[in-house]
Amino acid sequence: MPNAAIIGTGHYLPERVITNDDLARLMDTSDAWIRERTGIAARRWVEPGTSGAELALAASRMALADAGLAAAEIDLLVYATVNPDYAFPGNGPLLQQALGVGTIGAMDIRNQCTGFVYGIAAAHGFIASGAARTVLVVGSEIHSTGLDVSTRGRDMAVLFGDGAGAVLLRATDEDRGVLASVLHSQGEFARELWCELATALVPGRWNDALAAEGRQYPNMNGRTVFQHAIRRFGEAIDEVLAKAGVTKDDVALFVPHQANQRITEMVIRRLGVAPDRVCSNIEHYGNTTAASIPIALSEAVRAGRVRRDDLVVLVGFGSGFTWGANLIRW
Ligand SMILES: CC(C)(COP(=O)(O)OP(=O)(O)OC[C@H]1O[C@@H](n2cnc3c(N)ncnc32)[C@H](O)[C@@H]1OP(=O)(O)O)[C@@H](O)C(=O)NCCC(=O)NCCS
């Protein structure tokens, strides 16, 4: 069976910086509250009219350049997002067109903050089975157009930001690539972090009464999410390491989904590793759901934090609830 090596990474952040003080002009919140509870100082928002596929394209081009590959060499595209440009079709085909590649397979993954981890596991499966040789996995999100930026929505609005990240995986006979993945879900908690807009359970898909209640906006029970996240991040890391027969001390870099700096700090404490072995960029970008892991990974690669043969763990938790991890030999 071929291995699935990561041969390129890329990311893209919109230029428009929204600080906590900018949000405090829109709603009853403060820089101190947001920093203390979340570790976030700023996030990026797109200019109106920008599509998620455009962000994905920029991140994908950077990954292609990093790998030294032409887009035509991609034979499968996996697109993870919470925020598709349309209810349907998904963004996979939109990125296929934007990249100008042939009629390759293009699929969307709807696993929220764990979407990228699911995407890597899927890409690995396709490559290992021989069904694909070069797979582009993208996480791209535009939250800014879907947040309630009044005081009613402040618990959510301060957390999320826009951005995209991408990696290219390619079949290799070398002893590197994705070593193991673990994936989980627990739908009993679906309504602890969710959004009802324009979906099959809403007759007529939408009406004014729902809009007046603000049900087009994401909704969250922050404390429940926090408690489950801490537990599941740790479990997923332990499970993926055990599956490959390695220990946390063998791992050079942990790349957790950037949900909240307090969650990341608890994961670091539970792991008992030096903080410089755990990626954190939430201060600058907030939570970019499916994009947060590939953005952090791409930045870590450029900062020289990942070297050939290093073990890297990607780990996510989010709405669903869903959670999981990938272990990669670089
Ligand atoms: C959202 C979160 C930061 C809130 O922190 P918390 O310590 O749980 O705070 P609480 O929910 O108890 O809220 C405390 C108070 O702050 C208020 N508040 C909420 N958002 C606020 C904001 N942006 N600014 C100021 N006050 C805010 C609440 O209304 C509440 O007021 P009350 O006590 O008068 O009712 C925290 O629960 C969290 O990080 N949860 C996980 C979120 C997450 O990671 N989601 C994505 C997972 S992938």
Side-chain angles (χ1 to χ4, degrees):
M1 271 194 328
N3 288 323
I6 293 187
I7 57 163
T9 61
H11 65 281
Y12 178 77
L13 278 314
E15 282 173 18
R16 193 168 150 219
V17 177
I18 304 294
T19 64
N20 294 341
D21 286 334
D22 291 333
L23 293 183
R25 282 187 275 278
L26 301 170
M27 63 187 81
D28 183 10
T29 191
S30 67
D31 180 54
W33 193 98
I34 301 169
R35 279 181 195 261
E36 185 190 316
R37 306 283 176 127
T38 71
I40 299 167
R43 72 287 294 143
R44 304 294 180 90
W45 283 7
V46 294
E47 296 297 337
T50 307
S51 74
E54 286 173 52
L55 306 191
L57 178 64
S60 302
R61 285 191 170 144
M62 186 170 168
L64 283 162
D66 186 33
L69 276 193
E73 295 192 58
I74 301 167
D75 52 22
L76 180 68
L77 201 159
V78 179
Y79 195 124
T81 189
V82 185
N83 299 288
D85 291 335
Y86 309 115
F88 68 86
N91 272 35
L94 304 181
L95 182 58
Q96 174 273 332
Q97 187 209 7
L99 281 166
V101 293
T103 57
I104 59 171
M107 67 170 87
D108 278 50
I109 292 205
R110 297 287 309 276
N111 286 91
Q112 301 68 249
C113 301
T114 323
F116 194 77
V117 169
Y118 271 75
I120 292 288
H124 179 206
F126 277 94
I127 288 173
S129 72
R133 182 170 154 69
T134 307
V135 184
L136 175 66
V137 184
V138 183
S140 179
E141 303 286 8
I142 294 180
H143 284 287
S144 56
T145 55
L147 296 170
D148 179 356
V149 293
S150 72
T151 296
R152 179 179 66 178
R154 64 184 178 175
D155 61 328
M156 295 294 277
V158 301
L159 296 179
F160 294 98
D162 304 341
V167 305
L168 276 160
L169 295 102
R170 190 160 229 203
T172 179
D173 295 330
E174 292 170 18
D175 183 21
R176 66 186 184 119
V178 183
L179 301 183
S181 295
V182 295
L183 304 175
H184 292 283
S185 68
Q186 195 173 16
E188 71 185 277
F189 297 111
R191 290 160 207 83
E192 300 294 333
L193 177 52
W194 68 320
C195 182
E196 295 172 88
L197 179 63
T199 47
L201 279 175
V202 182
R205 298 295 155 100
W206 201 240
N207 60 55
D208 291 347
L210 292 173
E213 288 178 34
R215 286 166 67 177
Q216 66 273 43
Y217 298 119
N219 206 293
M220 173 179 72
N221 180 344
R223 291 208 167 166
T224 303
V225 171
F226 196 96
Q227 285 156 3
H228 283 259
I230 291 163
R231 177 175 156 209
R232 299 307 193 183
F233 270 114
E235 286 177 1
I237 293 170
D238 290 346
E239 193 184 349
V240 83
L241 295 179
K243 204 169 169 181
V246 299
T247 73
K248 64 184 184 196
D249 297 327
D250 300 320
V251 176
L253 193 68
F254 295 87
V255 189
H257 162 56
Q258 305 289 301
N260 179 321
Q261 186 57 23
R262 287 195 308 173
I263 294 176
T264 301
E265 278 163 14
M266 288 200 176
V267 171
I268 293 172
R269 219 171 300 147
R270 187 181 184 282
L271 280 168
V273 300
D276 66 358
R277 283 169 59 202
V278 181
C279 287
S280 172
N281 61 12
I282 192 166
E283 182 182 358
H284 309 294
Y285 309 137
N287 178 345
T288 57
T289 48
S292 92
I293 291 174
I295 293 171
L297 181 63
S298 176
E299 288 192 333
V301 168
R302 275 152 191 86
R305 296 175 74 184
V306 188
R307 291 173 212 287
R308 185 68 189 265
D309 285 333
D310 276 354
L311 289 182
V312 177
V313 169
L314 315 182
V315 58
F317 172 89
S319 161
F321 290 151
T322 56
W323 64 100
N326 317 110
L327 175 68
I328 297 153
R329 186 180 299 286
W330 208 257

